[in-house]
């Protein structure tokens, strides 16, 4: 029997970073058909590090002491994560993990094409030149635009976040597991124990 899972996430979300080990264990279970949706939240110019520290102290997630720049958008990282899908599941998983590590462990968010390239150098099996070329491909761009729209149509029973302008979206991470909604870090940790 297979289980359909939709994961709503963002490479620059501290809660998704905190849930990474639990989600990885869940993805590795047999019979999981997984679809990842990158919601790309709207960001302001505020320093996120103080809020990240609070989350890391609650979740135990490792976190950098220094943020070298304030990310304006994680759209480039989301495009890179989706473009990596074209190179296979193992490469895609390694790319997303490396993008998160660049932000949360090294304090160097991959928020431009050059920073994406810097973050992803040396990943085994990754054709970095192809990935950078694919960032602007119509199918990758359209796919991320569709993800962003889907993330902003949350189910009524899901935990949501309000973005600038009053727009709602799924809280990250959120999993739709068959017909059930699992929102947030605590629920994920409890479901995979």
């Amino acid at each position: 029997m297979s289980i359909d899972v939709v994961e709503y996430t963002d490479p620059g979300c501290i809660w998704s970073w905190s849930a990474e080990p639990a989600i990885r264990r869940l993805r590795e279970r047999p019979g999981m058909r997984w679809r990842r949706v990158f919601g790309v939240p709207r960001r302001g110019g505020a320093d996120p590090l103080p809020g990240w520290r609070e989350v890391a102290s609650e979740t135990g997630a490792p976190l950098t002491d220094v943020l070298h720049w304030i990310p304006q958008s994680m759209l480039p990282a989301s495009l890179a994560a989706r473009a990596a899908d074209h190179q296979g599941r193992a490469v895609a998983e390694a790319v997303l993990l490396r993008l998160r590590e660049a932000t949360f462990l090294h304090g160097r968010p991959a928020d431009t094409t050059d920073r994406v390239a810097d973050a992803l150098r040396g990943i085994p099996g990754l054709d970095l030149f192809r990935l950078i070329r694919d960032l602007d491909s119509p199918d990758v761009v359209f796919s991320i635009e569709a993800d962003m729209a889907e993330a902003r149509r949350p189910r009524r029973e899901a935990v949501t976040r309000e973005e600038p302008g009053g727009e709602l979206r799924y809280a990250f991470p959120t999993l739709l597991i068959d017909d059930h909604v699992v929102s947030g870090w605590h629920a994920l940790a409890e479901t995979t124990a």
Side-chain angles (χ1 to χ4, degrees):
M1 181 173 113
S2 66
I3 298 172
D4 291 316
V5 181
V6 180
E7 174 190 359
Y8 294 89
T9 192
D10 175 64
C13 171
I14 185 65
W15 290 104
S16 294
W17 168 243
S18 298
E20 175 84 27
I23 289 175
R24 190 177 326 116
R25 283 193 307 273
L26 187 60
R27 281 180 61 91
E28 292 170 356
R29 289 186 178 178
M32 298 297 220
R33 288 189 304 197
W34 206 276
R35 183 171 66 89
R36 189 172 277 139
V37 176
F38 293 103
V40 192
R42 317 261 190 258
R43 297 214 192 293
D47 182 357
L49 195 53
W52 290 354
R53 285 186 181 122
E54 287 180 32
V55 173
S57 71
E58 181 178 337
T59 65
L63 184 64
T64 184
D65 291 327
V66 177
L67 186 59
H68 295 276
W69 54 82
I70 296 172
Q72 296 305 305
S73 172
M74 292 308 286
L75 179 58
S78 296
L79 291 166
R82 180 54 44 79
D85 286 342
H86 297 173
Q87 298 187 39
R89 180 177 173 187
V91 168
E93 293 300 316
V95 163
L96 181 56
L97 181 59
R98 180 74 66 85
L99 291 166
R100 287 184 168 147
E101 289 172 345
T103 299
F104 299 111
L105 293 182
H106 307 297
R108 299 180 176 282
D111 60 348
T112 68
T113 300
D114 289 342
R115 290 172 177 167
V116 164
D118 288 344
L120 300 182
R121 275 192 184 82
I123 292 179
L126 173 66
D127 181 340
L128 184 57
F129 177 77
R130 175 183 170 198
L131 182 132
I132 296 301
R133 183 191 66 222
D134 287 349
L135 291 180
D136 296 326
S137 71
D139 64 321
V140 169
V141 171
F142 176 79
S143 176
I144 291 298
E145 288 173 351
D147 281 6
M148 291 169 62
E150 180 179 339
R152 284 157 181 80
R153 291 188 306 269
R155 288 173 49 172
R156 181 176 56 241
E157 66 272 27
V159 175
T160 59
R161 295 289 183 258
E162 187 172 333
E163 297 201 315
E167 187 174 42
L168 293 180
R169 67 162 170 81
Y170 281 105
F172 301 143
T174 291
L175 300 180
L176 303 183
I177 303 173
D178 283 334
D179 220 16
H180 305 286
V181 177
V182 181
S183 294
W185 183 83
H186 291 290
L188 284 173
E190 292 164 10
T191 62
T192 59

